[in-house]
Amino acid sequence: MSALKNSQIRKSCLLDIKTQEIIEIDEVLSVGRQPGNDLTLNDSKLSRNHARIIRQDGDLFIMDLCSKNGTLVNETPVQQGNSTQLNDGDIIHLGHRTYKVLGDSGSIGSFDQNAEIPECHEIEIEQTKPKKRKTSSKNLENMPTSSISKFHSSTEDETQYAPAKFINRLIANIIDATITGKISTLLYPIIVINFKKFLSLTHGDAGLAASSIIFIITGVYYILPLMKSGQTLGKKILKIKLIHNDGNQMNMVQIILREYIFKLITVSFTLFTLPQYLSNKDKRALHDLLATTRVISTKDLD
């Protein structure tokens, strides 16, 4: 190892806190377990394509590529599919690794010029044709216009957003329907009997009340897991995940619209929507198109 003087550090770098290795960031630095990333790490907590750091006009931005275990900047999670601007001295957690951002000034000047540290790696960025994807503008409000253009053209690759297979989506729906059906069958008579006994309701009124309660309970079964992780139990078993087109998790309103209104439209026009789904390259059903969502396979994200 040779000493690296301050004057030699011209570009933004990442300092591995544990190994003291310095990794130079040129234009784009992709990180993950999968060979082919600019920074390939054998780390069980990293996804195959975990994150991407973009350097543009002197600014750094990090994007989490819908990784399984997430990316932290100064202990704050980077929202999946969105970017966070990096500043000199920021601490990034990627799997078991911790890195410090070294800019063109600031923290670099605090290093001992006589200390022996590894030289920066020259990262050669392979020019590929990436898949374009929308990014939430609210997370990019501080990014220059030229950076946004660059960012949109350098996001996920095709494997990152591989669409879920039809059979997997079907089996996941059957699993979820079976579970909610069992819940309904178990709770309905119990609720009816107790409402008739303690509230003196007629059988019809008790049945209506029981149906309403079960509707809410089964709604919670779908809505809360989809808001938290994009996966009901059925989707988790089949390793598929629901996301918004911009890569974000869904909020409650979006999920309710998709699950209870747009799906009803899809089912009502099955003869027309099934051919549309089968011919769609991204395998997005009508309710996905209406809700601007997609169901992806998580096998390549683990």
Side-chain angles (χ1 to χ4, degrees), residues 50-52 61-65 78 81-83 133 135 151 155:
H50 192 97
R52 182 168 292 159
F61 299 88
I62 185 168
M63 179 181 186
D64 182 89
L65 303 181
V78 177
N82 285 339
S83 73
R133 185 168 61 83
T135 304
F151 186 81
T155 52

Side-chain angles (χ1 to χ4, degrees), residues 68-82:
K68 183 177 182 180
N69 293 309
T71 303
L72 300 178
V73 176
N74 299 327
E75 304 298 335
T76 301
V78 177
Q79 191 173 12
Q80 290 188 339
N82 285 339

Side-chain angles (χ1 to χ4, degrees), residues 28-294:
V28 180
L29 180 71
S30 59
V31 184
R33 292 195 339 258
Q34 184 168 282
N37 281 294
D38 302 315
L39 180 58
T40 302
L41 301 171
N42 184 18
D43 188 330
S44 61
K45 289 190 68 177
L46 284 180
S47 295
R48 296 181 184 181
N49 299 290
H50 192 97
R52 182 168 292 159
I53 299 175
I54 300 168
R55 186 176 190 272
Q56 183 72 25
D57 297 333
D59 293 322
L60 284 181
F61 299 88
I62 185 168
M63 179 181 186
D64 182 89
L65 303 181
C66 288
S67 64
K68 183 177 182 180
N69 293 309
T71 303
L72 300 178
V73 176
N74 299 327
E75 304 298 335
T76 301
V78 177
Q79 191 173 12
Q80 290 188 339
N82 285 339
S83 73
T84 293
Q85 186 166 357
L86 297 173
N87 297 302
D88 188 28
D90 282 349
I91 301 298
I92 305 172
H93 295 279
L94 295 165
H96 293 102
R97 309 296 182 98
T98 302
Y99 296 93
K100 184 174 183 178
V101 178
L102 306 182
D104 293 329
S105 60
S107 63
I108 292 178
S110 64
F111 279 94
D112 182 0
Q113 294 190 22
N114 297 318
E116 286 194 356
I117 55 178
E119 296 189 17
C120 292
H121 295 301
E122 290 293 336
I123 306 299
E124 296 181 2
I125 305 300
E126 183 180 359
Q127 298 298 321
T128 58
K129 186 178 181 181
K131 179 181 179 181
K132 292 186 178 181
R133 185 168 61 83
K134 291 183 179 180
T135 304
S136 177
S137 59
K138 65 181 180 181
N139 291 284
L140 299 176
E141 57 185 3
N142 295 321
M143 186 184 285
T145 304
S146 58
S147 299
I148 295 175
S149 176
K150 174 94 176 165
F151 186 81
H152 282 173
S153 64
S154 60
T155 52
E156 302 288 3
D157 55 27
E158 295 289 341
T159 60
Q160 190 70 32
Y161 281 106
K165 295 180 180 179
F166 173 76
I167 187 65
N168 289 349
R169 294 184 64 166
L170 179 62
I171 294 174
N173 285 329
I174 291 174
I175 292 173
D176 290 328
T178 301
I179 293 173
T180 54
K182 292 295 183 182
I183 293 174
S184 301
T185 302
L186 177 65
L187 293 182
Y188 184 85
I190 296 175
I191 296 174
V192 169
I193 291 172
N194 282 279
F195 272 31
K196 289 172 65 178
K197 180 178 180 180
F198 295 105
L199 300 180
S200 300
L201 297 179
T202 64
H203 185 79
D205 290 339
L208 180 61
S211 298
S212 300
I213 292 173
I214 290 172
F215 179 80
I216 294 173
I217 293 174
T218 55
V220 170
Y221 171 87
Y222 284 99
I223 294 172
L224 291 186
L226 289 176
M227 286 178 60
K228 183 178 180 180
S229 64
Q231 293 178 301
T232 58
L233 182 58
K235 285 181 170 58
K236 194 168 186 177
I237 292 173
L238 272 296
K239 294 187 176 182
I240 61 178
K241 178 178 181 178
L242 174 68
I243 62 171
H244 195 270
N245 270 1
D246 61 11
N248 295 330
Q249 295 297 132
M250 307 283 290
N251 60 42
M252 182 180 294
V253 174
Q254 291 171 329
I255 292 171
I256 290 175
L257 287 173
R258 181 185 187 275
E259 297 298 317
Y260 294 101
I261 297 178
F262 298 147
K263 269 192 175 181
L264 182 61
I265 296 174
T266 299
V267 173
S268 301
F269 298 95
T270 302
L271 291 177
F272 300 98
T273 59
L274 186 58
Q276 172 270 327
Y277 169 81
L278 294 175
S279 62
N280 192 311
K281 180 181 178 181
D282 291 333
K283 293 295 181 284
R284 297 171 62 204
L286 178 61
H287 53 274
D288 288 317
L289 296 174
L290 293 173
T292 61
T293 60
R294 64 180 64 195

